[in-house]
Amino acid sequence: SQQGEEDPQALSIQEGENATMNCSYKTSINNLQWYRQNSGRGLVHLILIRSNEREKHSGRLRVTLDTSKKSSSLLITASRAADTASYFCATDPSFSYGGSQGNLIFGKGTKLSVKP
Amino acid sequence: KAGVTQTPRYLIKTRGQQVTLSCSPISGHRSVSWYQQTPGQGLQFLFEYFSETQRNKGNFPGRFSGRQFSNSRSEMNVSTLELGDSALYLCASSFGRGTEAFFGQGTRLTVV
């Protein structure tokens, strides 16, 4: 069953604008990972944020994590047409003692369209 | 460094047949997981292997099976194929639980 829920389901912006995608989840997690997928191809790993981290940056990407609200956001700054893709959050659920259960649970994704 | 390699990229099979998909992980990675992606159900976890042992299994029927070899390469097998098995099958490799999981390009299986 899906744990993560991305919001919005679809987002259309102009090149140069910022894109923000949100993800909510239900259970305790070890970490949360964001992925990009172009047209049904493989998933490209973007960033991993651990449960004890609040914010992480990688190039034009900024990810935040709020474990009290069980939510995360992905911000892509200065979007480019090449950023057009589906973006997924994937949670790594943890056991009660904190260890990883070993499987990722994905949301249904946000489809981002960046117009030139 | 080479990424995760999945073969074949595309497959067309007939209902009732069986299929074997292969995954070669990133060098040094000992964990391999498999996922099924369909438009209706999204991305769903199939199996997790580490050092030739299946450590976790998703909610799929027994027709879905897998294994991992001593060189960390993995195969998954689907027997008695059904139309609903048509999907993109993705393999991910990592150093282990709690680390970044890197995916291959997937195998697109079509069952007719």
Side-chain angles (χ1 to χ4, degrees):
Chain A
S1 62
Q2 307 295 120
Q3 154 143 265
E5 290 287 339
E6 284 96 341
D7 168 55
Q9 289 187 320
L11 180 60
S12 183
I13 59 174
Q14 297 292 133
E15 255 190 338
E17 293 181 338
N18 295 341
T20 300
M21 288 158 265
N22 303 297
C23 167
S24 60
Y25 58 92
K26 297 174 185 172
T27 65
S28 297
I29 62 170
N30 182 281
N31 65 64
L32 186 147
Q33 304 185 46
W34 284 91
Y35 290 87
R36 184 184 77 228
Q37 185 178 42
N38 292 84
S39 299
R41 296 170 63 98
L43 297 169
V44 175
H45 188 272
L46 297 176
I47 202 163
L48 177 152
I49 186 165
R50 302 197 182 281
S51 60
N52 60 354
E53 297 176 307
R54 292 295 166 258
E55 188 170 314
K56 209 160 179 183
H57 296 254
S58 177
R60 294 184 295 112
L61 306 180
R62 172 178 169 254
V63 168
T64 62
L65 179 64
D66 187 336
T67 52
S68 66
K69 294 181 179 177
K70 291 187 167 57
S71 68
S72 174
S73 69
L74 169 68
L75 168 67
I76 304 174
T77 59
S79 295
R80 306 165 182 167
D83 294 329
T84 295
S86 290
Y87 291 81
F88 295 89
C89 72
T91 52
D92 180 357
S94 62
F95 291 109
S96 56
Y97 62 83
S100 166
Q101 293 188 24
N103 59 293
L104 293 176
I105 303 179
F106 286 84
K108 289 194 180 293
T110 292
K111 192 170 264 192
L112 173 66
S113 174
V114 182
K115 298 178 182 176
Chain B
K1 136 169 133 172
V4 179
T5 303
Q6 291 188 244
T7 56
R9 290 291 310 278
Y10 301 92
L11 265 178
I12 300 176
K13 289 286 188 179
T14 305
R15 269 182 303 175
Q17 287 186 314
Q18 72 156 18
V19 67
T20 300
L21 313 181
S22 180
C23 173
S24 293
I26 292 170
S27 179
H29 285 186
R30 294 169 64 189
S31 177
V32 172
S33 296
W34 289 87
Y35 293 82
Q36 181 197 63
Q37 185 177 29
T38 60
Q41 298 299 315
L43 281 147
Q44 294 190 294
F45 169 73
L46 282 157
F47 323 100
E48 177 211 9
Y49 288 91
F50 186 87
S51 292
E52 302 179 68
T53 300
Q54 184 182 96
R55 298 202 297 183
N56 197 353
K57 188 177 190 300
N59 188 24
F60 279 82
R63 301 184 296 106
F64 291 80
S65 62
R67 59 179 175 167
Q68 186 181 34
F69 303 95
S70 58
N71 62 358
S72 294
R73 191 177 69 85
S74 177
E75 289 181 348
M76 68 163 280
N77 185 277
V78 187
S79 62
T80 319
L81 284 165
E82 300 177 359
L83 295 178
D85 297 333
S86 295
L88 181 66
Y89 290 88
L90 293 160
C91 163
S93 81
S94 70
F95 284 113
R97 288 183 169 183
T99 64
E100 288 92 340
F102 296 92
F103 284 77
Q105 287 296 301
T107 294
R108 172 79 60 187
L109 172 65
T110 302
V111 182
V112 297

